[in-house]
């Protein structure tokens, strides 16, 4: 089995590659277990140490380039995980870049999938940013997506394209909406939600951090480990089960509703007052506007029925990050 991962050099991509190598096999489109013989990562940037395994290859390049995708996928790709994206803040700041990577590249990837000998499975990572504006107190799977950011619009179009290519039988497509992933390791990025990791990650490393939103701001969050579990579970679900649950539409993944104040209390519980004292509150109206347009409470009945799991408490997420950082030393 050949698996292609866009954005494979990123932190989620690297975790996914490790998870797939550890599993050693995935279910194919017919529901039969197949050994993973090759994993190909496509990413614009291959910075930092990468996970190495004889089954894994890395390609550096622009995923919006159709001939590159055609070359990498060939005609023998069984599964694709599409993680690559220009994050929310960057997509808002650079419209052309966001459209090229988040929209044009998705269409080019779907066309490359269409050329496969058999329709491949494709897992598309969308985002809660597809929601915005006036929303009900709790968002359900049938709540209309009304994005108010370029990133949200681009992700919603991607969801619709995945659904359309699946409807036509070109792919076995599955689109899932990720909550805000916390705690992300590494350096801060341009995501509007990046501070949610920064106010935990930096204080734990003895560094200062700035929170650009008010303490009562609520977020819908998911740990990196649960996110990887969800992506693999999405791939492994039988096509019939996915379709019965409304598979042409994106799935809201389970998460945890937590306020900034609650996040900082969890940080205090794990690392003490000194860690919390390293966080400065300083409102950024631009980030605040984007973040507060996102819903923070979801009814994920459909996902739960399909076997997905969320989080129990935020302190456990913080402890998991601490353990991961200690393990990496």
């Amino acid at each position: 089995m050949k698996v292609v991962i866009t954005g494979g050099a990123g932190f989620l991509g690297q975790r996914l590659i490790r998870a797939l190598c550890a599993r050693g096999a995935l279910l194919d489109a017919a529901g039969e277990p197949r050994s993973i013989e090759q994993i190909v990562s496509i990413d614009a940037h291959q910075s930092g140490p990468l996970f190495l395994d004889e089954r894994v290859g890395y390609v550096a390049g622009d995923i919006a380039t159709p001939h590159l995708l055609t070359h990498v996928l060939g005609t023998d790709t069984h599964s694709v995980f599409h993680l690559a994206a220009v994050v929310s803040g960057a997509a808002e700041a650079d419209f052309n870049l966001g459209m090229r990577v988040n929209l044009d590249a998705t269409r080019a990837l779907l066309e490359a999938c269409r050329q496969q000998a058999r329709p491949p499975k494709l897992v598309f990572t969308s985002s809660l940013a597809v929601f915005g504006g006036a929303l009900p107190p709790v968002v359900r799977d049938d709540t209309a997506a009304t994005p108010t950011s370029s990133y949200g619009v681009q992700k919603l179009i991607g969801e619709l394209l995945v659904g359309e290519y699946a409807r036509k039988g070109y792919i076995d497509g599955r689109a899932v909406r990720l909550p805000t992933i916390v705690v992300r390791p590494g350096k801060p990025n341009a995501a509007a939600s990046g501070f949610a990791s920064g106010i935990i990650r930096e204080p734990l490393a003895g560094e200062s951090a700035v929170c650009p939103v008010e303490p009562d701001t609520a977020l819908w969050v998911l740990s990196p480990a649960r996110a990887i579990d969800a992506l693999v579970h999405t791939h492994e679900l039988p096509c019939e089960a996915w379709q019965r649950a409304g598979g042409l539409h994106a799935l809201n993944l389970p998460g945890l509703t937590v306020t900034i104040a609650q996040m900082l209390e969890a940080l205090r519980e794990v690392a003490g007052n000194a860690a919390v004292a390293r966080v400065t509150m300083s409102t950024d109206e631009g980030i605040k506007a984007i973040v507060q347009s996102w819903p923070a409470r979801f009814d994920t009945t459909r996902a739960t029925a399909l076997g997905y799991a969320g989080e129990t408490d935020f302190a456990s997420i913080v402890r998991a990050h601490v353990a991961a950082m200690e393990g990496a030393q």
Side-chain angles (χ1 to χ4, degrees), residues 106-127:
T106 297
R107 173 70 192 284
L109 178 63
L110 290 169
E111 279 298 305
C113 288
R114 187 179 174 187
Q115 305 308 313
Q116 300 307 300
R118 288 164 295 187
K121 283 188 179 181
L122 182 139
V123 177
F124 175 67
T125 53
S126 188
S127 166

Side-chain angles (χ1 to χ4, degrees), residues 18-299:
R18 287 177 181 271
L20 295 182
C21 286
R23 287 178 64 89
L26 290 171
L27 299 179
D28 63 16
E32 297 296 326
R34 298 279 298 272
S35 296
I36 299 173
E37 298 174 348
Q38 184 181 15
I39 299 174
V40 184
S41 160
I42 313 176
D43 207 305
H45 306 287
Q46 309 278 7
S47 59
L50 299 173
F51 175 72
L52 300 180
D53 184 283
E54 63 181 7
R55 293 164 290 183
V56 181
Y58 293 94
V59 176
D62 182 356
I63 67 163
T65 305
H67 71 264
L68 174 64
L69 291 172
T70 299
H71 173 72
V72 171
L73 269 69
T75 58
D76 59 345
T77 295
H78 298 86
S79 299
V80 177
F81 291 85
H82 185 23
L83 312 183
V86 171
V87 294
S88 52
E92 195 67 22
D94 190 332
F95 181 79
N96 290 334
L97 178 63
M99 291 293 284
R100 176 174 173 76
V101 175
N102 294 343
L103 182 53
D104 296 344
T106 297
R107 173 70 192 284
L109 178 63
L110 290 169
E111 279 298 305
C113 288
R114 187 179 174 187
Q115 305 308 313
Q116 300 307 300
R118 288 164 295 187
K121 283 188 179 181
L122 182 139
V123 177
F124 175 67
T125 53
S126 188
S127 166
L128 57 77
V130 301
F131 297 104
L135 292 168
V138 177
V139 169
R140 308 190 325 171
D141 283 310
D142 59 359
T143 300
T146 53
T148 56
S149 67
S150 295
Y151 179 72
V153 169
Q154 291 151 9
K155 282 296 187 180
L156 179 57
I157 295 172
E159 291 179 6
L160 295 172
L161 285 173
V162 169
E164 175 64 2
Y165 275 67
R167 185 184 70 84
K168 297 291 288 184
Y170 302 141
I171 60 171
D172 177 358
R174 295 117 185 270
V176 290
R177 293 167 178 159
L178 291 176
T180 296
I181 306 301
V182 182
V183 178
R184 289 176 174 264
K187 299 295 184 181
N189 62 18
S193 61
F195 73 90
S197 289
I199 62 174
I200 304 298
R201 180 185 60 231
E202 270 68 81
L204 287 171
E207 301 174 5
S208 61
V210 175
C211 181
V213 298
E214 284 86 354
D216 62 351
T217 301
L219 301 172
W220 182 246
V221 303
L222 189 68
S223 68
R226 286 291 192 189
I228 295 304
D229 289 345
L231 295 180
V232 175
H233 185 65
T234 300
H235 183 281
E236 296 297 85
L237 282 169
C239 181
E240 296 78 11
W242 180 263
Q243 293 298 331
R244 283 198 305 270
L248 294 182
H249 305 285
L251 178 71
N252 298 324
L253 291 182
L256 176 71
T257 300
V258 62
T259 66
I260 299 301
Q262 290 169 333
M263 292 171 68
L264 294 178
E265 280 305 307
L267 176 63
R268 190 189 315 278
E269 178 183 332
V270 175
N273 292 329
V276 177
R278 299 186 183 107
V279 180
T280 300
M281 309 300 293
S282 179
T283 302
D284 181 309
E285 294 298 333
I287 293 177
K288 174 183 172 181
I290 294 175
V291 173
Q292 290 191 342
S293 72
W294 299 339
R297 292 171 176 82
F298 286 78
D299 175 354

